[in-house]
Amino acid sequence: MRIGILGYGRFGRALGALLHEAGHGYRAWEPAAEIPVERRVGGLPELAETSETLILAVPIAAQAAALASLRPHLRPDQLLFDVGSVKSGPCTLMDAQLGAAIPHAGTHPLFGPVSLARAERPLRVVLCPSSHHPAAADRVQALFESLGCEVLRQSPEDHDRVMATTHALTFFIAKGLLAVGAGAELPFTPPSFHAIARTLESVREDAGHLFAALQNQNPFAKGAREGLLEALSAIHQTLAEAVAEGADEQQLAIPSLGERSPILQETRDHIDALDQELVALLARRTELVLRAGRAKAELGLPVHDPERESSQLQARRAWAQEAGLDSQGVEDVFRAVLRASRSAQGAKG
């Protein structure tokens, strides 16, 4: 499959790497971007002429101009889809500019350059089919599934409603927390803040233009923000009244998840949850190992690197000692992990 990517920012590059890993050839075009010579084309006409599938990976605000420039070069046998984080406007735009003539669909990959670099899984994609081209949606889904993605189909409106109370609100809350200094380096923080700190880190690593796009391009984001601000204002007022009137603070308690389990069951539940996280981390580690294996193959290096493994085990023994754990037991665990890694690399070789 010959794939062309219009837009080679952080996401365009990351998606290109994912396509390459899956064995798909691609070319890319963006006038000011640094694109490897073997991937770069001479201009927009060449990108369209040499591609069976075109991916619109430009910021949402630039999509209209990009489509207008691309449209004269498109053919009915081609396929086009976008990868924006908002879907109502872009899908309406594609229907208007491409209509029944050019097969197209809208998509929102629920991953980005940071999550791909961390080998986070699963990879999920929301697919918004065009009523003009149901078969095009099938082709887009097949492409993403070939990349190892799970695909969920939604209407553009349903997608944006969900994203307004998740993606857009997350960025909105993070922006507010950063504005009051919550993202500053602190000597210590309670466990309840750790997840928020990870959210702040993820948001700060995303593209700068994304915040405004999520808030202004999603037609449901304004209502979600207003609803949140009303709820916070009401809580703030209730807190003030409780202090002034000595009201029962129970009414301000955060709703529980139900009757607490006995200590043993609760502890077992926590262990199960941690084990599930460990399995997910091992899956991410395996993906990174496979990535390293492909890099070794390109350099003509062997899969097994005894010197590297010895260094790894020594470091992990030191980490175990610092954490007050049995260093030999931890080494045994990592020896098993390394054996599994070699097996995975061999199976993919």
Side-chain angles (χ1 to χ4, degrees):
M1 183 183 298
R2 293 174 299 162
I3 297 173
I5 302 176
L6 177 55
Y8 207 67
R10 292 181 65 210
F11 185 80
R13 291 194 300 273
L15 183 58
L18 197 61
L19 289 166
H20 175 67
E21 289 178 6
H24 296 296
Y26 78 91
R27 308 289 291 280
W29 172 249
E30 182 176 329
E34 293 185 6
I35 303 174
V37 174
E38 67 274 14
R39 301 292 182 193
R40 190 177 184 89
V41 295
L44 201 57
E46 183 181 348
L47 184 72
E49 182 182 350
T50 58
S51 301
E52 299 169 323
T53 296
L54 286 152
I55 302 173
L56 195 61
V58 300
I60 294 171
Q63 284 189 0
L67 270 177
S69 298
L70 189 60
R71 179 63 184 89
H73 308 290
L74 296 178
R75 307 184 305 270
D77 63 324
Q78 292 174 309
L79 169 67
L80 182 143
F81 63 89
D82 83 309
V83 290
S85 301
V86 176
K87 293 273 67 80
S88 297
C91 286
T92 299
L93 178 68
M94 285 187 288
D95 280 343
Q97 294 207 23
L98 306 178
I102 307 297
H104 61 274
T107 77
H108 177 196
L110 302 178
F111 54 83
V114 176
S115 58
L116 287 174
R118 292 173 176 169
E120 294 178 358
R121 293 297 185 272
L123 301 178
R124 295 190 173 94
V125 177
V126 176
L127 170 61
C128 301
S130 167
S131 59
H132 297 294
H133 303 281
D138 295 337
R139 292 164 62 189
V140 173
Q141 180 164 343
L143 174 59
F144 275 111
E145 288 177 344
S146 75
L147 305 182
C149 300
E150 299 175 4
V151 179
L152 169 67
R153 296 196 183 205
Q154 282 187 312
S155 70
E157 292 74 20
D158 286 344
H159 166 275
D160 286 355
R161 283 192 185 93
V162 172
M163 289 299 111
T165 55
T166 54
H167 205 188
L169 274 192
T170 297
F171 272 66
F172 185 64
I173 293 168
K175 182 80 168 174
L177 288 171
L178 290 170
V180 298
E185 292 294 331
L186 300 172
F188 58 87
T189 57
S192 57
F193 184 75
H194 294 173
I196 294 175
R198 288 194 295 272
T199 298
L200 293 176
E201 180 184 2
S202 296
V203 167
R204 296 177 81 169
E205 288 175 336
D206 268 308
H209 66 81
L210 189 54
F211 177 80
L214 291 175
Q215 307 306 326
N216 295 332
Q217 303 292 334
N218 187 326
F220 305 100
K222 183 173 183 289
R225 294 196 308 270
E226 291 173 345
L228 174 65
L229 291 174
E230 289 176 6
L232 291 175
S233 178
I235 294 169
H236 178 67
Q237 183 63 30
T238 302
L239 281 168
E241 293 172 355
V243 171
E245 302 172 9
D248 183 4
E249 293 186 359
Q250 187 60 35
Q251 64 178 310
L252 292 167
I254 295 176
S256 71
L257 297 176
E259 185 178 348
R260 295 184 67 82
S261 303
I263 292 176
L264 178 59
Q265 185 59 51
E266 183 180 7
T267 302
R268 287 173 173 171
D269 290 343
H270 287 317
I271 290 173
D272 288 344
L274 282 173
D275 285 349
Q276 190 173 16
E277 290 183 28
L278 285 172
V279 170
L281 288 171
L282 286 171
R284 287 175 55 188
R285 190 184 192 282
T286 299
E287 179 61 30
L288 293 172
V289 164
L290 294 176
R291 189 183 302 175
R294 289 189 289 270
K296 288 180 183 178
E298 292 178 0
L299 296 172
L301 299 175
V303 171
H304 189 201
D305 185 347
E307 184 176 345
R308 162 70 175 161
E309 288 191 4
S310 177
S311 176
Q312 284 181 295
L313 291 172
Q314 183 177 356
R316 282 136 188 81
R317 285 181 66 93
W319 297 344
Q321 290 174 349
E322 291 174 4
L325 298 173
D326 175 20
S327 58
Q328 184 58 54
V330 170
E331 179 179 336
D332 291 342
V333 169
F334 275 99
R335 284 189 181 277
V337 170
L338 291 172
R339 283 197 300 272
S341 296
R342 289 197 297 271
S343 177
Q345 285 183 309
K348 293 288 186 179

